[in-house]
């Protein structure tokens, strides 16, 4: 059953149209990957779904409701949260305060506390760093914090933008293990990731985005073996 349905979505910045009518779907319980070259429109796609970049045309249905022109905070309240490219944590706030900021739409202190503990379960290092300022964490720890902060709104769908960017391989493996565990716990994931091979190995389905248009969609396993994907994105 569809959790997210995007139809003919158009968006951009000033006179530049970045998304030229893309359609995609994420079902409940799915991990879906979007792969493509730099500048293809992957980040713009996530920012538009989050309500940060205005929609110029098309529609976004989330959990059966039209969210096309809702403000970002209302979209978060509906159950769609993003961990953005470059982490964008609050560097002067502590780890704990960053997590609390992730729950800004909620009014259930006991539930928030339970979800902080759940975040520490996924990323134990954050519990050790709870009183440290976010800006003092390593890149990998900041990425963990960005994902954990997004989880604090209890999303039905988690948007992840380049979670492996600039991180050591061991940290990347840890983060991808957690994404798999989150999915097993019932969170659907829409993943934008430069490491196409890792993304497709993790995902159920995938889309290829090229200069603002979707040029391919299929089961992730099929895409991993597609000669065009291999040549363009897997370095083969």
């Amino acid at each position: 059953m569809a959790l997210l349905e995007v139809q003919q979505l158009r968006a951009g910045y000033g006179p530049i149209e970045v998304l030229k009518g893309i359609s995609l779907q994420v079902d409940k319980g799915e991990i879906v990957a979007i792969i493509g070259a730099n500048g293809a429109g992957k980040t713009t796609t996530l920012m538009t779904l989050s309500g940060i970049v205005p929609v110029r045309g098309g529609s976004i249905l989330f959990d059966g409701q039209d969210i096309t022109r809702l403000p970002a905070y209302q979209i978060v309240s509906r159950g769609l949260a993003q961990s953005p490219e470059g982490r964008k944590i609050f560097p002067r706030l502590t780890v704990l305060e960053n997590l609390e900021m992730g729950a800004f739409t909620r009014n259930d202190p006991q539930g928030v506390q339970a979800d902080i503990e759940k975040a520490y379960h996924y990323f134990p290092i954050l519990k050790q760093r709870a009183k440290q300022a976010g800006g003092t964490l390593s890149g990998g720890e900041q990425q963990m914090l960005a994902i954990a902060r997004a989880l604090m709104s209890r999303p039905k769908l988690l948007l992840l933008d380049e979670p492996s960017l600039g991180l050591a391989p061991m940290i990347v493996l840890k983060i991808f293990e957690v994404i798999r565990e989150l999915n097993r716990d019932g969170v659907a994931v829409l993943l934008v990731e430069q490491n196409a091979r890792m993304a497709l190995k993790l995902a159920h389905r995938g889309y290829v985005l090229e200069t603002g248009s979707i040029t391919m969609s299929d089961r992730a396993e099929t895409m991993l073996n597609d000669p065009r994907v291999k040549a363009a994105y897997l370095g083969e």
Side-chain angles (χ1 to χ4, degrees), residues 10-107:
R10 292 174 31 244
Y13 310 92
I16 300 167
E17 186 162 85
V18 178
L19 303 181
K20 300 167 183 174
I22 68 168
S23 299
L24 59 86
Q25 181 172 318
V26 180
D27 291 342
K28 290 180 179 177
E30 266 196 320
I31 300 176
V32 174
I34 301 176
I35 63 171
N38 286 335
K42 303 187 299 297
T43 291
T44 301
T45 299
L46 298 193
M47 298 288 266
T48 306
L49 296 178
S50 296
I52 296 164
V53 174
V55 173
R56 294 183 177 181
S59 64
I60 306 167
L61 289 182
F62 181 67
D63 211 12
Q65 296 185 311
D66 189 339
I67 65 164
T68 310
R69 287 179 169 79
L70 286 185
Y73 72 91
Q74 287 187 16
I75 290 173
V76 172
S77 297
R78 298 284 175 97
L80 190 155
Q82 182 176 175
S83 172
E85 182 181 9
R87 297 141 205 169
K88 295 184 173 63
I89 59 155
F90 300 104
R92 295 185 182 181
L93 299 185
T94 65
V95 166
L96 177 58
E97 288 166 340
N98 268 274
L99 294 176
E100 290 170 342
M101 288 295 286
F104 78 100
T105 60
R106 296 172 57 182
N107 192 24

Side-chain angles (χ1 to χ4, degrees), residues 5-206:
E5 291 180 89
V6 177
Q7 293 291 336
Q8 296 298 313
L9 187 65
R10 292 174 31 244
Y13 310 92
I16 300 167
E17 186 162 85
V18 178
L19 303 181
K20 300 167 183 174
I22 68 168
S23 299
L24 59 86
Q25 181 172 318
V26 180
D27 291 342
K28 290 180 179 177
E30 266 196 320
I31 300 176
V32 174
I34 301 176
I35 63 171
N38 286 335
K42 303 187 299 297
T43 291
T44 301
T45 299
L46 298 193
M47 298 288 266
T48 306
L49 296 178
S50 296
I52 296 164
V53 174
V55 173
R56 294 183 177 181
S59 64
I60 306 167
L61 289 182
F62 181 67
D63 211 12
Q65 296 185 311
D66 189 339
I67 65 164
T68 310
R69 287 179 169 79
L70 286 185
Y73 72 91
Q74 287 187 16
I75 290 173
V76 172
S77 297
R78 298 284 175 97
L80 190 155
Q82 182 176 175
S83 172
E85 182 181 9
R87 297 141 205 169
K88 295 184 173 63
I89 59 155
F90 300 104
R92 295 185 182 181
L93 299 185
T94 65
V95 166
L96 177 58
E97 288 166 340
N98 268 274
L99 294 176
E100 290 170 342
M101 288 295 286
F104 78 100
T105 60
R106 296 172 57 182
N107 192 24
D108 58 327
Q110 286 183 314
V112 169
Q113 188 55 47
D115 285 348
I116 288 170
E117 291 304 320
K118 192 181 286 187
Y120 292 157
H121 159 74
Y122 289 125
F123 300 111
I125 191 68
L126 296 182
K127 188 167 190 175
Q128 297 175 35
R129 304 276 191 264
K131 294 181 179 178
Q132 272 186 234
T136 67
L137 303 183
S138 70
E141 290 164 354
Q142 288 189 19
Q143 184 63 69
M144 293 174 192
L145 179 56
I147 294 171
R149 182 183 61 185
L151 292 174
M152 289 301 299
S153 64
R154 285 195 177 167
K156 300 169 189 170
L157 175 61
L158 178 63
L159 309 182
L160 292 175
D161 195 352
E162 301 288 5
S164 79
L165 191 66
L167 302 183
M170 288 295 290
I171 301 293
V172 173
L173 286 174
K174 165 66 178 169
I175 285 171
F176 271 64
E177 281 171 18
V178 169
I179 296 169
R180 190 175 282 114
E181 186 178 354
L182 285 170
N183 183 243
R184 283 197 297 264
D185 289 346
V187 180
V189 178
L190 182 58
L191 171 66
V192 161
E193 175 55 57
Q194 201 67 41
N195 188 329
R197 187 184 305 279
M198 281 196 77
L200 291 173
K201 282 184 174 179
L202 181 71
H204 299 99
R205 292 188 303 109

